[in-house]
Amino acid sequence: MNENIFRISAAVILLSAITISVYFRRKANKETGGAVSMKDEGKPIFLALRLGGLMLWFSPLVYAIVPAWLAWSKMGLPDWVRWIGVGVGFASLGLIYWMFKSIGNGITPTVATRKEHKLSTSGPYRWIRHPLYTFGTLAFLSLGLIADSWFIVLLSILAFALLSLRTPNEEAHLIEKFGDEYREYMNRTGRYLPRLKF
């Protein structure tokens, strides 16, 4: 019985995250005249993120539909840990929506910025420069716990590592666009977590 609830929860969290992302990304493209160039990404990072991303998105879906296909990656987690995954997963949906709502039309799938891009400093951007990476990783780690799959957890960690490799390039583009305003913003915010002040 619990396994079916875990599968349904994983499907709802994954499909809700996809829906939120697709809605805001399409809205941004429509309202700003189209998608941004992918050429600044760099081929190795671009390919690794796209291929790894596909595996990461499909793995929880495979678990939800045919869990036996991921049985080889079971960790043997107790149900209470998996329930924590459910709670964190649903909470991460609220965080992801908050992030997309805060950045608005500035969202892009690459390191490039839109011509009309305005620096986002409200919502989670008040404390964190890259909340999508933080909240997205949190969502996928929760799906790994729900599915009891070290493979999904590992893919989540690898995806975050790849995003971390491209972050300096992304921030260089933002400095190029916003100059000292972005440098000052960097000084008062954390990259992935709020900056601790003592």
Side-chain angles (χ1 to χ4, degrees), residues 106-128:
I107 192 69
T108 67
T110 181
V111 296
T113 56
R114 298 181 190 277
K115 287 180 184 173
E116 317 73 7
H117 185 83
K118 292 184 173 78
L119 183 59
S120 299
T121 59
S122 62
Y125 290 93
R126 181 176 175 187
W127 301 282
I128 310 171

Side-chain angles (χ1 to χ4, degrees), residues 21-32 107 114:
S21 179
V22 168
Y23 170 77
F24 281 103
R25 290 176 189 278
R26 283 193 176 169
K27 183 174 181 283
N29 286 343
K30 184 178 178 184
E31 292 180 3
T32 60
I107 192 69
R114 298 181 190 277

Side-chain angles (χ1 to χ4, degrees), residues 31-130:
E31 292 180 3
T32 60
V36 296
S37 171
M38 300 281 197
K39 68 179 181 180
D40 292 338
E41 188 83 65
K43 273 191 181 174
I45 292 284
F46 176 85
L47 290 173
L49 279 172
R50 288 344 178 249
L51 293 174
L54 280 174
M55 288 174 56
L56 184 57
W57 283 98
F58 278 111
S59 296
L61 195 58
V62 166
Y63 163 71
I65 298 170
V66 191
W69 289 4
L70 273 181
W72 54 271
S73 70
K74 276 203 167 292
M75 296 183 282
L77 295 174
D79 279 0
W80 67 267
V81 173
R82 297 175 77 184
W83 281 115
I84 288 172
V86 171
V88 170
F90 280 105
S92 70
L93 291 177
L95 293 171
I96 290 167
Y97 180 85
W98 184 37
M99 181 281 310
F100 273 110
K101 187 80 173 159
S102 299
I103 195 170
N105 290 342
I107 192 69
T108 67
T110 181
V111 296
T113 56
R114 298 181 190 277
K115 287 180 184 173
E116 317 73 7
H117 185 83
K118 292 184 173 78
L119 183 59
S120 299
T121 59
S122 62
Y125 290 93
R126 181 176 175 187
W127 301 282
I128 310 171
R129 297 194 299 279
H130 304 280

